[in-house]
Amino acid sequence: MEGMTERLEAMLGKGTDNMLLRFSLGKAYAEQGAFGKAEVHLRAALAFDPTYSVAWKWLGKACLGLGDKPGARAAWESGLRAAQARGDQQVVKELQVFIKRLDKEAAAGA
């Protein structure tokens, strides 16, 4: 996986910058646990296309990884609106589950 992030970073360094590249970097960094880097790239991806619900999903995961539960909730709520607008039912379901989990943790005082 690390080789992939290096290749993607090299593309970015050569001046390629678009939603898919930024999303791919953000997702790869989140999967590696590099949540700070993931957040930067996912926010950049969303600047290109704020309706890309899957990027909101991963941004929420990155925020959660950084201990930012309000940020995660905000990202997932934005993603939920985007997914509903696009008719992306799978992402709608996933984000509803993530938000419910946050609510349960908050209610339990976690």
Side-chain angles (χ1 to χ4, degrees):
M1 185 62 99
E2 205 157 291
M4 185 170 97
T5 54
E6 287 164 5
R7 283 194 303 276
L8 294 170
E9 287 281 8
M11 289 171 64
L12 189 62
K14 288 178 186 162
T16 302
D17 194 4
N18 57 51
M19 193 279 299
L20 189 59
L21 177 61
R22 292 296 192 133
F23 170 73
S24 299
L25 270 166
K27 181 176 182 284
Y29 279 126
E31 288 172 338
Q32 293 173 14
F35 299 115
K37 286 181 177 181
E39 182 186 16
V40 168
H41 290 295
L42 291 164
R43 288 194 188 282
L46 288 160
F48 282 107
D49 183 2
T51 69
Y52 192 48
S53 56
V54 178
W56 286 112
K57 176 178 89 171
W58 282 95
L59 178 59
K61 288 183 177 195
C63 289
L64 199 60
L66 293 167
D68 179 8
K69 288 182 183 179
R73 168 179 281 284
W76 289 336
E77 287 175 349
S78 294
L80 192 55
R81 286 190 296 276
Q84 287 166 336
R86 290 177 79 155
D88 190 346
Q89 292 309 309
Q90 180 59 38
V91 177
V92 167
K93 287 178 192 164
E94 287 180 51
L95 294 177
Q96 286 171 335
V97 168
F98 294 161
I99 291 167
K100 276 185 192 144
R101 273 193 211 138
L102 276 183
D103 290 344
K104 279 184 185 168
E105 285 178 24

